[in-house]
Amino acid sequence: MKDRLACGLVIVSLLVAAAPIPAQEPVNVQATRKEFYDAYRKEDWNRAVDLGYELEKLVPNNSREQYNLACVLALNEEVDAALDWLEKAAANGFCRISLLDVDPDLDAVRDLPGYEVVLNRVSENMRRRRDLVYRTAAENLPLTVLPKNFSDDEPRPLIIVLHGFGGSSAGFEAIWGPAAGRLGAILVVPNGPRRVGNGHGWIDIDEADAVVEATLDYVRDRFEVDWDRVVLSGFSEGAFMATALGIRHPDLFAGVIPVAGSYIPGIDAPPKAADGDPRFYFMVGLLDRVATQARIAASDFEEAGYEVDLRLFPDTGHEFPQRTTQELGRALRFVLGE
């Protein structure tokens, strides 16, 4: 039960960010949502169900609230009602198929007649959403930094960096540019597909996948790239996405460098490594709340047969290390085998 709850709490926290929330959201909605999450944490399923229904009245036809209500109904052994609310969430556009596939809160629902219909509807929602994300990313060019004296005379290494939640590509030329320049690499930093305040977020692995695909197509159309030396990195939420995409597309990346990224054991655990799979270089500050998760991630990846290094920084919180250029250079040398 402890492992299931730990996974569920992270998933719920991701869902909070998954749908745009009005800046002036009514106080009663905020308070009710907080009570809902408190009941969830305490495993008070009856209370959570009551609050879930209350949220549905306060924020009607919201696929996020409907999905969360389905989760607590399933945990309260009201499986038929849980499936009904999953259907409503799908009808209202819920598209997080990667979440639906793994969320342990819904284990009791997956064998019910009708679940496959919901699964197919959510898959179709994601297909449409992914197409939209790809088109939008293709129309909004990413930050691109070329090395000094750049020419297309020789293929160049490529570094793609995913920013953190609520961030943007702004500022990453200063953070990553010097290390990329020393390598002679092309640096590309796209923005996430969801608006979060004045910045952007990634939210869902399938949406992040679409942005990275659009980014690779953008680079392919413009530059000569050494496709055996492509590195994917990310900070915070971007690191979480980079790790997942490195597993999903081991043929695309020589290495992955997650910086201050979270990790959910049992859900994000990697498959057994094969020859040619990316190297992973985990970087995290010891004062960062995700430091323990990064340690577990490095251990799990190493046990699965990946080439792994873990770099821990004392007196560092949720941020890049102080000697940024040197540390990123060290990470690049490791993942590229240099």
Side-chain angles (χ1 to χ4, degrees):
M1 176 62 71
K2 182 178 179 181
D3 289 342
R4 185 213 58 74
L5 181 58
C7 294
L9 283 172
V10 175
I11 290 168
V12 167
S13 69
L14 289 173
L15 280 173
V16 172
I21 298 174
Q24 301 299 324
E25 189 174 56
V27 173
N28 62 333
V29 174
Q30 297 179 33
T32 304
R33 188 175 289 121
K34 182 180 183 303
E35 287 186 61
F36 174 86
Y37 294 139
D38 287 344
Y40 181 95
R41 292 185 183 95
K42 295 174 183 177
E43 301 185 31
D44 186 349
W45 308 133
N46 284 324
R47 177 65 175 155
V49 166
D50 290 343
L51 290 164
Y53 279 119
E54 188 172 339
L55 279 169
E56 164 60 19
K57 293 178 181 177
L58 292 171
V59 192
N61 300 319
N62 182 292
S63 65
R64 180 194 65 198
E65 308 297 357
Q66 292 170 335
Y67 179 90
N68 283 345
L69 176 54
C71 287
V72 293
L73 283 164
L75 291 167
N76 205 40
E77 300 182 356
E78 300 177 54
V79 293
D80 290 333
L83 184 60
D84 287 343
W85 283 103
L86 275 183
E87 291 173 348
K88 292 174 183 175
N92 281 310
F94 185 80
C95 63
R96 297 195 61 195
I97 187 64
S98 58
L99 173 62
L100 185 63
D101 280 343
V102 300
D103 194 339
D105 292 348
L106 297 172
D107 286 348
V109 177
R110 291 194 174 92
D111 292 332
L112 291 180
Y115 178 77
E116 287 295 324
V117 174
V118 173
L119 192 68
N120 291 336
R121 181 69 177 271
V122 174
S123 295
E124 178 60 21
N125 290 344
M126 175 49 72
R127 186 193 65 76
R128 289 196 296 269
R129 173 64 186 168
R130 183 186 170 92
D131 288 347
L132 175 61
V133 168
Y134 178 92
R135 291 196 303 273
T136 302
E139 293 167 1
N140 293 276
L141 301 184
L143 169 69
T144 304
V145 182
L146 301 177
K148 291 182 179 179
N149 303 318
F150 173 79
S151 72
D152 273 337
D153 293 341
E154 60 179 297
R156 299 283 183 154
L158 171 65
I159 303 170
I160 299 174
V161 181
L162 310 181
H163 61 74
F165 182 77
S168 72
S169 60
F172 275 87
E173 180 173 2
I175 294 169
W176 260 102
R182 289 181 181 182
L183 183 65
I186 301 166
L187 172 66
V188 183
V189 188
N191 284 319
R194 301 268 185 162
R195 292 296 303 182
V196 178
N198 293 323
H200 304 265
W202 300 97
I203 309 303
D204 185 88
I205 183 62
D206 292 300
E207 295 184 13
D209 195 340
V211 173
V212 171
E213 180 185 352
T215 302
L216 287 168
D217 288 345
Y218 160 82
V219 172
R220 188 178 290 109
D221 290 343
R222 289 166 175 79
F223 308 110
E224 288 294 325
V225 171
D226 182 348
W227 294 106
D228 292 326
R229 302 174 74 202
V230 178
V231 175
L232 181 64
S233 183
F235 173 74
S236 192
E237 186 196 22
F240 179 90
M241 295 297 171
T243 302
L245 289 173
I247 296 171
R248 180 179 285 194
H249 300 297
D251 56 319
L252 293 180
F253 307 110
V256 180
I257 305 174
V259 182
S262 59
Y263 175 77
I264 311 172
I267 288 183
D268 298 324
K272 185 174 177 58
D275 290 341
D277 278 359
R279 293 182 172 197
F280 285 80
Y281 191 98
F282 296 91
M283 305 171 67
V284 68
L286 286 173
L287 301 182
D288 195 333
R289 60 181 176 78
V290 302
T292 298
Q293 295 176 38
R295 289 179 188 269
I296 295 171
S299 177
D300 284 356
F301 274 72
E302 188 170 32
E303 186 175 342
Y306 294 83
E307 293 190 61
V308 174
D309 203 348
L310 170 65
R311 184 75 166 153
L312 303 171
F313 303 99
D315 302 320
T316 302
H318 197 64
E319 57 191 337
F320 281 88
Q322 291 182 358
R323 292 166 50 88
T324 306
T325 299
Q326 292 88 336
E327 293 297 342
L328 292 177
R330 182 199 298 262
L332 286 170
R333 289 191 295 275
F334 175 82
V335 298
L336 292 173
E338 299 178 352

